[in-house]
Amino acid sequence: MIINILLSRLKEVNDIISTCSDSTIPFEQANVIARFYYDYQDTNTLIDEAERLATEDSERLRELAVSLKDETAALLNHIGRLDGVDFKQIANAHSKQYYSKFQEESEQLNPFWKRYSELNNRLDYLPLGSKDYAEMEKECEKAKAEHDTRQIEVKRLYAEYEKENQQAGYVFSLKASHLYALAAKMNGIAESIINDLDRLEKGNGE
């Protein structure tokens, strides 16, 4: 159920923020907050789910709405702890860490490519079919194999960097004010759901 997942993730965000101190937060926790914001900034899905539940299980909807109101109220109450958090710096540091690993391995690959290129160039000047050509060809193949083996790791590190850099993008763009606005909007939706259910129950009881 969409609202159940939302509440679980919102509680995780609240747990992170409630323990945030000295304006410091690790990337992993910043990413949890950022992904929550970007996954739920469009509240239409929440509203659609509430409308569906209103006809199928209004009591369950009330329970979820009360929980949503409580959790968003807690977020609004503690969100000031994020005021000094530099999300851009957190994101940049995380991205740089993975890029540095890729760059270091890439630079270590260069001598292997240079060695292979030199051998391959020498091969061009040797008589085809000669003993020297055959020996040089074996050296070329060995150098190429060494290069290709190391290149696999370079490609793996680059793919890892791209993945982590994408995650860092969510954190880089996050602002506490954006999260505050979303929490306030969700809190208003929860209150509206409860009020609508109260009116329906009152109408049915008359």
Side-chain angles (χ1 to χ4, degrees), residues 112-181:
F112 290 89
W113 176 253
K114 183 178 180 181
R115 170 66 175 163
Y116 166 70
S117 297
E118 289 174 349
L119 292 173
N120 197 49
N121 286 336
R122 291 182 198 173
L123 193 64
D124 291 338
Y125 292 97
L126 294 174
L128 188 64
S130 67
K131 182 180 178 181
D132 288 342
Y133 186 94
E135 290 177 353
M136 184 62 67
E137 188 175 39
K138 287 181 180 179
E139 283 194 59
C140 273
E141 290 173 353
K142 182 180 177 181
K144 181 69 162 54
E146 288 177 341
H147 169 270
D148 290 351
T149 298
R150 289 178 175 269
Q151 189 178 47
I152 291 173
E153 178 64 8
V154 171
K155 288 180 177 179
R156 185 192 70 78
L157 288 173
Y158 185 74
E160 185 178 49
Y161 158 69
E162 281 198 317
K163 177 184 175 183
E164 294 301 326
N165 190 51
Q166 184 178 31
Q167 295 296 318
Y170 292 109
V171 175
F172 184 88
S173 302
L174 182 65
K175 293 182 179 179
S177 59
H178 295 166
L179 186 63
Y180 181 94

Side-chain angles (χ1 to χ4, degrees), residues 25-31 86-101 160-172:
I25 185 173
F27 174 83
E28 291 72 19
Q29 292 184 344
N31 191 40
D86 189 342
F87 289 105
K88 290 185 178 180
Q89 189 278 328
I90 293 172
N92 285 334
H94 182 77
S95 182
K96 184 178 180 180
Q97 171 189 348
Y98 284 88
Y99 183 77
S100 295
K101 290 179 183 178
E160 185 178 49
Y161 158 69
E162 281 198 317
K163 177 184 175 183
E164 294 301 326
N165 190 51
Q166 184 178 31
Q167 295 296 318
Y170 292 109
V171 175
F172 184 88

Side-chain angles (χ1 to χ4, degrees), residues 51-63:
E51 289 175 348
R52 183 185 66 80
L53 273 177
T55 60
E56 296 179 4
D57 192 345
S58 60
E59 284 305 312
R60 180 58 178 155
L61 176 59
R62 180 184 291 277
E63 292 174 5

